[in-house]
């Protein structure tokens, strides 16, 4: 019966026995063997009293339903108890729910299932293998007499005793007739040894022998009670058991004619990607827990984390490599910055070509040709930087990113700082004397500019020496709760901090230039470019002030890399466009469309500049006095 239950894939059954030696011993043996075999748990072991009270069988059915998953019911009960159990199940409207496995007390009997065949449908029962003995005395060949099935075993039992006595007589009384002294009386323990040692062909032609436990070979026919709308219902032989089970599963039919074996399990197998969490004390019962996050099912009972560069498969039974992404040229995050940068490159190239073509005209000379070309070079590099930021990372690309990320801005703001510093010093000196300040010649201005630029270049090359440029794959940046969205990002080894450090020197130059632009705001417009430079720096500061919260505010976004790259490149392009638009586009417009204004103006000496600076200072002082309410009243009005 244990073999049958396991062959049907059941691991959670209840037992039901009639009170008494047969039922209780049968269940005890079943429980013991199932425990030794393993993989089979007993949900409940219920006993039917010898004298059941009214409603007792209804209570039994109700208790069996407390473990409703244990549909398999192992029965060691007499005919009356079997009949009443089936009746109670039918009364509870549980036809087809319970799957009965009956002992030989049920066998192939019709009496227990009369009028409740539908409840018994699918019941599997056993009977010792038997044969009808030919030549036995019969009452009448025409009578309804049917030979008792156990006649074969009675005959074999008698012959086993006879063979044992015969063998004992041969050993103890050799050559004697009748019982000798050694067998009078017969020693029971010695006779038992001779009985266990017999081996002969029985009445049905099968061997009769006993094992070390004194048990005869088990030979059983296995039946199933089947019903059909097209044939006579009844018990059908579906297998045999002779020390091992031979079960014809394909011939089995269950309630409603189903061929699939119903389940009688405490817990169903877990799905792929789920681990078993065992119920304490019940080895056949467990809860299924899904391996979540970046875990995968390493074995039946545990989940483990995938390596940092991998993520679980869809069914979470293994790990797979995390896909690697980078900013693509066709991405919307790249197309807008590239469009702005391309326009900027074309505009900058046009300005440079125009300045070279009209290099000796008054407007070009007045703008400071040397520093103008330096400044335009910086603006051009800022626009080009967009394409380096979008290009696929590699050692060379990463090296150029480090070098040119801050270099273009450094060149631009170094040139602007030198210009504003020159203007400021000239007019501050003009307030004190008519002697011009030092280092205001074009050569001096270029030297100062290149000294400022060299500090940025030196810092980058020191960085090259300390940490050579290389690429990394960042698996932490795009590591959302849903592993299906996880990606590794191929990027240069520049962290947010190193990027800001790379730009910090340019930001210092920009702020210093802005301070000088503020200080030079009172200089007469027709003497210099202070006001356009001032407007350029104010606007640039606003752009970079907006850049900082956007750049760092997206650090938790799943598209951080794309947003930050786009923000950085657009901010750089806008700052370059402001410089280009305010400082050079008006000049190009006059050169190309109003050449009549591109004429030599009266050359001013430093003395004239000094006078203008002094006058500007006095006007500014008088304006401040009036605003502060310190203007003195006129003498005439005061005398009145």
């Amino acid at each position: 019966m244990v073999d049958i239950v396991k062959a049907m894939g059941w691991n959670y059954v209840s037992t039901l026995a009639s009170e008494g030696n047969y039922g209780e011993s049968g269940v005890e043996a079943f429980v013991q063997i199932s425990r030794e075999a393993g993989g089979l748990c007993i949900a409940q072991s219920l006993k039917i009293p010898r004298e059941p009270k009214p409603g007792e069988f209804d209570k039994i059915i109700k208790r069996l339903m407390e473990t409703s998953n244990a549909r398999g019911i192992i029965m060691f009960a007499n005919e009356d108890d079997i009949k009443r159990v089936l009746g109670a199940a039918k009364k509870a409207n549980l036809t087809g729910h319970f799957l009965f496995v009956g002992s030989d007390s049920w066998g192939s009997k019709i009496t227990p299932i009369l009028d409740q065949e539908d409840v018994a449908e699918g019941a599997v029962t056993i009977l010792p293998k038997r044969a009808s003995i030919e030549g036995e005395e019969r009452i009448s060949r025409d009578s309804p007499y049917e030979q008792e099935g156990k006649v074969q075993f009675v005959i074999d039992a008698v012959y086993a005793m006879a063979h044992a006595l015969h063998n004992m007589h041969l050993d103890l009384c050799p050559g004697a007739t009748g019982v000798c002294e050694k067998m009078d009386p017969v020693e029971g323990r010695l006779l038992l040894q001779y009985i266990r040692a017999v081996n002969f062909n029985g009445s049905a032609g099968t061997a009769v022998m006993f094992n070390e436990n004194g048990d005869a070979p088990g030979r059983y026919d296995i039946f199933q009670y089947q019903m059909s709308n097209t044939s006579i219902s009844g018990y059908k032989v579906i297998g045999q058991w002779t020390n091992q089970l031979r079960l014809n599963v394909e011939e089995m039919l269950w309630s409603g004619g189903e061929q699939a074996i119903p389940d009688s399990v405490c817990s169903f197998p877990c799905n792929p990607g789920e681990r078993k969490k065992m119920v304490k004390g019940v080895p056949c019962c467990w809860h299924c827990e899904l391996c979540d996050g970046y875990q995968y099912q390493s074995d039946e009972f545990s989940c483990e984390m995938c390596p940092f560069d991998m993520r679980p498969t869809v069914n979470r039974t293994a790990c797979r490599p995390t896909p690697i992404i980078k900013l693509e040229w066709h991405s919307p995050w790249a197309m807008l910055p590239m469009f702005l940068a391309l326009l900027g490159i074309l505009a900058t190239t046009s300005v440079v070509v125009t300045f070279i073509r009209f290099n000796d005209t008054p407007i070009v000379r007045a703008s400071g040709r040397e520093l103008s070309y330096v400044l335009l070079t910086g603006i051009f590099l800022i626009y080009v930087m967009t394409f380096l930021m979008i290009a696929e990372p590699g050692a060379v690309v990463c090296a150029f990113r480090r070098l040119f990320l801050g270099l273009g801005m450094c060149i631009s703001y170094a040139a602007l700082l030198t210009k504003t510093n020159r203007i400021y010093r000239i007019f501050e000196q003009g307030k004190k004397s008519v002697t011009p300040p030092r280092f205001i010649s074009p050569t001096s201005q270029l030297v100062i500019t290149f000294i400022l630029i060299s500090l940025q270049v030196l810092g980058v090359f020191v960085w090259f020496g300390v940490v050579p440029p290389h690429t990394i794959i960042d698996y932490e940046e795009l590591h959302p709760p849903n592993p299906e969205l996880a990606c590794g990002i191929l990027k240069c080894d520049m962290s947010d901090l190193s990027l800001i450090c790379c730009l910090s020197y340019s930001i210092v130059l920009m702020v210093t230039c802005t301070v000088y632009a503020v200080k030079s705001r009172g200089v007469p417009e027709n003497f210099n470019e202070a006001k356009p430079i001032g407007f350029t720096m104010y606007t640039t500061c606003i752009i970079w002030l907006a850049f900082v919260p956007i750049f760092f505010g997206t650090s938790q976004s799943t598209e951080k890399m794309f947003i930050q790259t786009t923000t950085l490149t657009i901010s750089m392009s806008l700052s370059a466009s402001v410089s280009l638009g305010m400082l050079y586009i008006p000049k190009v417009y006059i050169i190309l469309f109003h050449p009549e204004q591109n004429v030599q103006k009266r050359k001013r000496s430093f003395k004239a500049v000094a006078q203008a600076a002094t006058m500007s200072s006095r006007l500014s002082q008088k304006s401040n006095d009036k605003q502060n309410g310190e203007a003195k009243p006129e003498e005439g009005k005061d005398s009145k």
Side-chain angles (χ1 to χ4, degrees), residues 114-220:
L114 283 176
D115 301 324
Q116 44 204 17
E117 291 86 351
D118 51 347
V119 183
E121 184 177 12
V124 177
T125 61
I126 64 170
L127 268 180
K129 199 172 187 65
R130 59 187 64 181
S132 182
I133 306 302
E134 295 295 329
E136 188 186 13
E137 182 180 354
R138 300 181 182 278
I139 296 174
S140 170
R141 291 187 181 276
D142 300 324
S143 71
Y145 164 79
E146 182 178 352
Q147 186 182 119
E148 166 60 46
K150 295 184 173 63
V151 169
Q152 168 196 345
F153 306 114
V154 175
I155 295 174
D156 290 343
V158 172
Y159 273 99
M161 179 66 76
H163 279 285
L165 288 170
H166 177 70
N167 294 334
M168 186 178 183
H169 185 270
L170 290 176
D171 291 341
L172 299 181
C173 308
T177 302
V179 178
C180 64
E181 292 183 0
K182 291 184 179 180
M183 290 184 65
D184 187 17
V186 173
E187 173 60 38
R189 292 182 182 275
L190 184 59
L191 177 60
L192 179 60
Q193 293 178 11
Y194 278 96
I195 293 174
R196 287 188 171 183
V198 300
N199 189 337
F200 63 94
N201 286 333
S203 57
T206 56
V208 176
M209 65 185 71
F210 302 95
N211 61 20
E212 64 275 9
N213 296 322
D215 295 322
R219 299 185 184 92
Y220 291 88

Side-chain angles (χ1 to χ4, degrees), residues 49 63 65-66 125 129 160 193 334 366 400 405 415 418 433-434 492 513 539 553 558:
R63 285 193 60 188
M65 284 304 294
E66 291 175 2
T125 61
K129 199 172 187 65
Q193 293 178 11
F400 278 112
L405 179 60
T418 305
S433 68
V434 295
C492 292
C513 185
T539 307
T558 56

Side-chain angles (χ1 to χ4, degrees), residues 124-345:
V124 177
T125 61
I126 64 170
L127 268 180
K129 199 172 187 65
R130 59 187 64 181
S132 182
I133 306 302
E134 295 295 329
E136 188 186 13
E137 182 180 354
R138 300 181 182 278
I139 296 174
S140 170
R141 291 187 181 276
D142 300 324
S143 71
Y145 164 79
E146 182 178 352
Q147 186 182 119
E148 166 60 46
K150 295 184 173 63
V151 169
Q152 168 196 345
F153 306 114
V154 175
I155 295 174
D156 290 343
V158 172
Y159 273 99
M161 179 66 76
H163 279 285
L165 288 170
H166 177 70
N167 294 334
M168 186 178 183
H169 185 270
L170 290 176
D171 291 341
L172 299 181
C173 308
T177 302
V179 178
C180 64
E181 292 183 0
K182 291 184 179 180
M183 290 184 65
D184 187 17
V186 173
E187 173 60 38
R189 292 182 182 275
L190 184 59
L191 177 60
L192 179 60
Q193 293 178 11
Y194 278 96
I195 293 174
R196 287 188 171 183
V198 300
N199 189 337
F200 63 94
N201 286 333
S203 57
T206 56
V208 176
M209 65 185 71
F210 302 95
N211 61 20
E212 64 275 9
N213 296 322
D215 295 322
R219 299 185 184 92
Y220 291 88
D221 284 327
I222 303 171
F223 300 88
Q224 186 183 39
Y225 185 75
Q226 298 180 356
M227 298 175 65
S228 173
N229 294 328
T230 58
S231 63
I232 299 174
S233 61
Y235 293 95
K236 181 177 181 179
V237 177
I238 57 170
Q240 293 83 34
W241 192 94
T242 307
N243 292 327
Q244 63 181 12
L245 178 68
R246 295 189 299 276
L247 189 66
N248 301 320
V249 176
E250 64 278 0
E251 295 184 8
M252 301 178 78
L253 291 176
W254 304 89
S255 180
E258 289 289 329
Q259 288 187 314
I261 299 176
D263 294 310
S264 182
V265 295
C266 181
S267 301
F268 290 99
C270 293
N271 294 323
E274 295 178 342
R275 73 178 184 93
K276 289 182 179 178
K277 184 178 182 182
M278 304 304 297
V279 176
K280 189 175 181 180
V282 190
C284 300
C285 300
W286 58 82
H287 301 296
C288 294
E289 288 187 348
L290 179 67
C291 299
D292 59 359
Y294 287 78
Q295 294 180 331
Y296 73 100
Q297 182 186 0
S298 57
D299 57 42
E300 190 177 5
F301 302 99
S302 58
C303 299
E304 292 185 5
M305 292 292 293
C306 286
F308 76 97
D309 58 345
M310 303 184 82
R311 60 178 179 172
T313 55
V314 176
N315 61 7
R316 295 182 177 275
T317 55
C319 293
R320 54 181 169 159
T322 301
I324 300 172
I325 63 170
K326 62 184 187 320
L327 186 57
E328 301 290 347
W329 295 103
H330 56 77
S331 168
W333 296 105
M335 295 180 71
L336 178 59
M338 285 194 299
F339 177 73
L340 294 177
L342 190 58
L343 290 181
I345 289 173

Side-chain angles (χ1 to χ4, degrees), residues 599-630:
V599 294
Q600 180 71 42
K601 296 185 178 180
R602 183 170 62 89
K603 189 173 182 180
R604 298 180 181 272
S605 63
F606 182 77
K607 182 177 180 180
V609 173
Q611 291 175 351
T614 303
M615 183 61 67
S616 173
S617 178
R618 290 176 179 175
L619 290 174
S620 176
Q621 182 63 40
K622 185 174 287 187
S623 174
N624 289 337
D625 290 345
K626 287 183 179 180
Q627 290 175 3
N628 296 330
E630 296 176 357

Side-chain angles (χ1 to χ4, degrees), residues 543-559:
I543 291 172
W544 287 102
L545 284 175
F547 160 78
V548 172
I550 295 175
F551 186 86
F552 289 102
T554 58
S555 60
Q556 302 302 319
S557 171
T558 56
E559 297 182 324

Side-chain angles (χ1 to χ4, degrees), residues 14 139 143 174 450 592 597:
S14 292
I139 296 174
S143 71
F450 285 120
L592 296 180
Q597 298 181 20

